[in-house]
Amino acid sequence: DALATNTSAYCSAQNFPPAPPTGVVAVSSNAYIDLSWTAPSEPDILSYNLYYATNSGAPYNNVKNVGNVLIYTLTGLTNGTTYYIALKTVDNTNLESGYSVEVSTVPRIRPPVLISANYSGANILLNWTDSPDFNSGNFSSYKIYRSVVSGGSYSLVGSPTTGTSYSDTPSIQTI
């Protein structure tokens, strides 16, 4: 009498979460942040979740599913505020990776480029190119500061709302 046994092999498939994105780069500008990252090597990536907050570390109070892209622009931000950002990979079974390395940046209005500062007689004439954000809705004026020593205490001397030049007559010869 032989004892019959079932020796059928079976395999249990396990689904592991994907790896997080790497190489996250954040470049800020006027009320937005351009983000880019490198995808993990998994073949079943569905999308990426972008997490951000004004405080460092999880949990983040904002999340956006940005689709299956490697570049994204986060808009509607407040200039002068530090934003902390991390991403997670989502696979086609909706498993989510751990967080990527956190990056941070501060959106700001981009400054103009000073072309020249010429001293003539008692005047200093400044010339610059417009800020790339000059025509944005949150630009109001340029602010011109002066100091009598390099790196010293600066005083506001002008705040032109238009134009790309300013003439200043300092009370003390500073050049």
Side-chain angles (χ1 to χ4, degrees):
D1 245 308
L3 184 60
T5 48
N6 185 350
T7 58
S8 299
Y10 71 93
C11 179
S12 173
Q14 289 187 319
N15 189 14
F16 295 102
T22 58
V24 179
V25 175
V27 178
S28 61
S29 196
N30 181 21
Y32 68 88
I33 298 172
D34 284 329
L35 295 154
S36 63
W37 57 91
T38 302
S41 61
E42 282 89 348
D44 63 340
I45 295 171
L46 178 66
S47 62
Y48 297 93
N49 285 335
L50 185 146
Y51 292 83
Y52 66 102
T54 55
N55 296 309
S56 179
Y60 298 93
N61 57 351
N62 298 289
V63 62
K64 290 181 181 260
N65 183 288
V66 299
N68 192 356
V69 298
L70 299 177
I71 297 172
Y72 184 78
T73 300
L74 184 59
T75 61
L77 305 176
T78 302
N79 285 334
T81 299
T82 302
Y83 289 90
Y84 299 89
I85 301 158
L87 290 136
K88 288 186 175 185
T89 305
V90 180
D91 71 13
N92 61 12
T93 63
N94 288 319
L95 285 178
E96 193 176 52
S97 72
Y99 288 109
S100 68
V101 171
E102 180 182 85
V103 295
S104 65
T105 190
V106 180
R108 299 185 191 287
I109 291 178
R110 293 169 287 180
V113 175
L114 182 65
I115 297 171
S116 64
N118 296 311
Y119 181 71
S120 175
N123 292 327
I124 299 171
L125 179 61
L126 304 173
N127 291 291
W128 61 86
T129 61
D130 269 330
S131 163
D133 302 315
F134 180 76
N135 290 318
S136 70
N138 53 0
F139 182 93
S140 60
S141 69
Y142 293 106
K143 297 201 181 301
I144 312 293
Y145 292 87
R146 175 183 356 109
S147 176
V148 295
V149 295
S150 178
S153 178
Y154 291 90
S155 300
L156 180 66
V157 295
S159 189
T161 57
T162 61
T164 57
S165 65
Y166 183 81
S167 181
D168 180 32
T169 306
S171 58
I172 301 173
Q173 185 173 342
T174 59
I175 296 183

